[in-house]
């Protein structure tokens, strides 16, 4: 009953309340990013959702679109702005995904939506992470996020699919808030990004 009905109800309720409560912060960040990014506030990218259905994830844009003389984007660390670094460090860049939750593309809790290019690389077991809506945060995120291997991430994602229930979701939400405030295991430094998944790591 929780997985099929109450989880969605709580997603909607909490997301709407969160958007109202956080609206001053969201407005401030939007204005700041509009200025430093020269009008570009949001980042959109197609990702696979539940049952691999495509949707466009939305985030605050933490980097500019500056390019070199050949028209190529500059390295990430050169395009990262001060406000962009802050919103990423504090995971504020993820807050626009509350709109994805309201639309039904995502849940508050679930496996993080990755890239379509990874799907052919998944094992049959790893593909099970798409049996539920992807989440803004998840069991893998509160257990290390970028500091653990892809294999461990996917194992934790499938564990979540098998264990999903109200108390498990509450535990993950609590741990997420705790880790964001402690700035623990949320993002690696800009110079040490997570290696792309290659089907083995």
């Amino acid at each position: 009953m929780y997985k099929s009905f109450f989880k969605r109800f709580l997603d909607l309720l909490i997301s709407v309340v969160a958007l109202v409560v956080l609206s001053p912060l969201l407005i401030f960040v939007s204005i700041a990013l509009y200025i430093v990014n020269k009008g570009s506030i949001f980042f959109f990218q197609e990702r696979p959702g539940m049952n691999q259905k495509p949707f466009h994830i939305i985030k605050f844009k933490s980097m500019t679109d500056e390019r070199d003389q050949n028209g190529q984007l500059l390295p990430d660390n050169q395009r990262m702005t001060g406000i962009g670094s802050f919103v990423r460090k504090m995971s504020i860049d993820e807050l626009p995904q509350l709109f994805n939750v309201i639309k039904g593309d995502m849940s508050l809790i679930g496996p993080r939506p990755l890239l379509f290019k990874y799907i052919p690389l998944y094992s049959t077991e790893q593909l099970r992470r798409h049996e539920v809506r992807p989440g803004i945060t998840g069991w893998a995120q509160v257990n290390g996020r970028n500091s653990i291997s892809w294999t461990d991430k996917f194992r934790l994602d499938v564990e979540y699919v098998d264990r999903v229930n109200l108390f498990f979701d509450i535990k993950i939400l609590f741990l997420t808030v705790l880790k964001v405030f402690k700035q623990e295991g949320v993002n690696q430094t800009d110079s040490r990004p997570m290696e792309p998944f290659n089907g083995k790591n």
Side-chain angles (χ1 to χ4, degrees), residues 94-143:
E94 309 284 1
L95 292 179
Q97 289 163 51
L98 291 169
F99 291 107
N100 286 124
V101 175
I102 291 173
K103 285 179 59 183
D105 296 326
M106 295 179 64
S107 175
L108 293 174
I109 311 295
R112 283 295 297 165
L114 300 175
L115 300 173
F116 268 104
K117 69 179 183 179
Y118 292 158
I119 288 180
L121 304 177
Y122 293 150
S123 68
T124 301
E125 182 71 2
Q126 290 169 344
L127 274 173
R128 295 191 58 225
R129 68 193 306 278
H130 292 288
E131 291 178 8
V132 297
R133 286 187 178 91
I136 295 178
T137 186
W139 189 223
Q141 279 59 52
V142 298
N143 278 282

